[in-house]
Amino acid sequence: MAPIELLLIGVLAIEGAFGRLNSRQPSGYTPHRIVGGADVPPGEHVPYQVSLQYQTRNGQMHFCGGSIIAPNRILTAAHCCQGLNASRMSVVAGIRSLQEIGSRSKVLSFTIHPDYKELVTSDLSVLYIDPPLEFDNTTIGAIDLQSNYVGGGVPVTLTGWGLRLWVPFPYLDDVNYPNVLQRMSYHTITNQECRNAGMDSVTDTEVCARGPFRGACSGDSGGPLVMRTDEGLKQVGIVSYGLVVCGLFISPDVYTRVSTFTEWIVGHLEF
């Protein structure tokens, strides 16, 4: 199977079990979500996590994740923005469930990395939002960026509003797509291990992670992969792409490597 961006699994293998057309997503895309995760417990918060939502005829719809890097800046994947109308996009912060109101800000515009090539490199974008988010560092707060190279065998954690199953089975959306934020932990692997596992085009601008029957899948796109350091949590990666069937042990997830782009990201924190 060929790798695909986590936002785009819907139209492949329509007659098989590897994907489906999904009316939840803008522009005919399928949102990517977590396999093998568990609900973030009541009373706990992931203050840096946001839901990217798109205005449709049926209302606001979650389609990607993102992370707060400043009161008026959100970090996400380039493929979550490419071809979309910023005026129909918004972000919601401070929520555990997609049914909560939270703090909503409009997306004024976004900047996609100039070197972005689909499934190749530089899959990141910075959103400019208004009004700025009000930090309380409990329910809403920024995540620090990991500036040092991360190798294999490092424990990492992914959060997102995720698909519970390996593929989105038709007519089971209420089971497939939980409203509660999901959290899942596994380990990074080296880029060579990632290539050996079938992700032939992985470059040094990306970092891979893998674990048994778990991983990013259909709404997680653009979301934050974090690690714990002596200085606290830091964002290591941005959900980019994987295989059509999510959560297979042999199938790594590919993330944009934040440390490669720290200077570019920081350069977009100010007007």
Side-chain angles (χ1 to χ4, degrees), residues 43-72:
E44 282 195 33
H45 303 279
V46 182
Y48 52 85
Q49 175 82 46
V50 299
S51 166
L52 270 61
Q53 300 191 2
Y54 204 75
Q55 180 66 50
T56 71
R57 66 182 61 184
N58 295 320
Q60 300 286 347
M61 184 200 69
H62 170 85
F63 71 100
C64 270
S67 56
I68 302 168
I69 53 175
N72 61 348

Side-chain angles (χ1 to χ4, degrees), residues 227-238:
M227 64 178 288
R228 187 168 297 279
T229 72
D230 291 340
E231 294 81 32
L233 291 178
K234 293 196 175 183
Q235 184 168 351
V236 173
I238 304 164

Side-chain angles (χ1 to χ4, degrees), residues 127-200:
L127 307 179
Y128 309 88
I129 63 171
D130 186 68
L133 299 170
E134 296 184 8
F135 288 1
D136 60 16
N137 296 319
T138 299
T139 61
I140 301 178
I143 183 73
D144 291 331
L145 304 177
Q146 174 64 22
S147 57
N148 297 323
Y149 187 92
V150 174
V154 176
V156 286
T157 298
L158 173 65
T159 46
W161 283 272
L163 184 68
R164 290 187 172 109
L165 306 175
W166 295 277
V167 294
F169 292 104
Y171 312 115
L172 293 177
D173 280 0
D174 289 343
V175 175
N176 288 342
Y177 297 103
N179 284 309
V180 175
L181 185 64
Q182 303 289 290
R183 181 166 57 200
M184 176 273 299
S185 296
Y186 53 179
H187 289 76
T188 61
I189 60 175
T190 68
N191 281 21
Q192 187 57 55
E193 289 174 322
C194 196
R195 286 187 283 268
N196 292 345
M199 298 302 186
D200 299 338

Side-chain angles (χ1 to χ4, degrees), residues 1-5 12 119 198-199 241-245:
M1 289 182 292
I4 55 171
E5 288 179 346
L12 297 183
L119 302 177
M199 298 302 186
Y241 66 88
L243 295 182
V244 178
V245 179

Side-chain angles (χ1 to χ4, degrees), residues 156 186-189 194 207-211 225 251-255:
V156 286
Y186 53 179
H187 289 76
T188 61
I189 60 175
C194 196
V207 58
C208 299
R210 182 172 64 183
L225 183 74
S251 163
D253 296 324
V254 181
Y255 296 81

